[in-house]
């Protein structure tokens, strides 16, 4: 009987020790969605990217034909730099590569560089909305 009591005490102590050592506190997270436009018209092709150098995390989403985006992956709360990029080019399908580099005048160059875009967003816990209306 003493052995069983001793075993229960050791087991209880272990459970309490593990429960008390939860590691790092969980950082609150949020999601973000919104629209991207250029001079009031939806940007129908491209990628919006969020990056926090302080947190070392980021996420991106493709734009829809209506200029909408949604980042459903949880982002740690904090401040993020925002960039808007043209869609990636598809690799050539033929043996002879043909350059069909499309210009995206509705995504000015300054919005493609996180140091020049001047776009930032503070992600808070839960759902966030962030609309971008680019201009020249």
């Amino acid at each position: 009987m003493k052995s069983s009591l001793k075993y229960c005490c050791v087991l209880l102590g272990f459970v309490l020790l593990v429960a008390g050592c939860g590691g790092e506190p969980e950082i609150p997270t949020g999601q973000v969605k919104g629209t991207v436009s250029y001079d009031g018209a939806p940007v129908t092709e491209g990628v919006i990217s969020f990056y926090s150098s302080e947190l070392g995390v980021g996420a991106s989403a493709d734009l829809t034909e209506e200029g909408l985006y949604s980042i459903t992956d949880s982002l740690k709360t904090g401040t993020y730099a925002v960039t808007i990029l043209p869609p990636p080019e598809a690799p050539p399908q033929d043996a002879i590569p043909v350059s069909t580099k499309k210009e995206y005048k509705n995504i000015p160059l300054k919005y493609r560089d996180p140091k020049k875009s001047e776009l930032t967003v503070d992600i808070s816990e839960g759902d966030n909305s962030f609309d971008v209306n680019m201009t020249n």
Side-chain angles (χ1 to χ4, degrees):
M1 181 122 155
K2 285 186 177 183
S3 177
S4 294
L5 182 59
K6 190 176 183 180
Y7 176 76
C8 286
C9 287
V10 169
L11 183 61
L12 180 61
F14 178 76
V15 169
L16 291 174
L17 179 66
V18 170
C21 296
E24 294 182 30
E26 191 170 314
I27 296 174
T29 60
Q31 298 78 33
V32 63
K33 63 182 175 180
T35 60
V36 177
S37 57
Y38 175 73
D39 285 338
V43 176
T44 61
E45 294 178 279
V47 176
I48 185 167
S49 294
F50 297 81
Y51 181 72
S52 172
S53 58
E54 180 181 315
L55 298 170
V57 296
S60 62
D62 292 330
L63 302 177
T64 68
E65 292 180 3
E66 295 83 26
L68 302 172
Y69 73 90
S70 178
I71 296 186
T72 55
D73 294 337
S74 293
L75 291 171
K76 293 178 183 178
T77 56
T79 302
Y80 289 77
V82 181
T83 55
I84 316 297
L85 302 168
E89 285 190 42
Q93 299 293 324
D94 301 357
I96 303 171
V98 177
S99 178
T100 59
K101 197 164 197 158
K102 181 178 175 182
E103 286 192 45
Y104 291 91
K105 293 181 181 180
N106 62 349
I107 304 177
L109 292 177
K110 72 178 182 178
Y111 294 99
R112 301 177 193 193
D113 183 342
K115 294 177 183 170
K116 295 178 183 176
S117 81
E118 299 177 357
L119 294 174
T120 61
V121 63
D122 289 320
I123 300 295
S124 57
E125 191 170 1
D127 293 332
N128 295 267
S129 179
F130 182 69
D131 296 332
V132 177
N133 183 27
M134 298 179 289
T135 59
N136 259 334

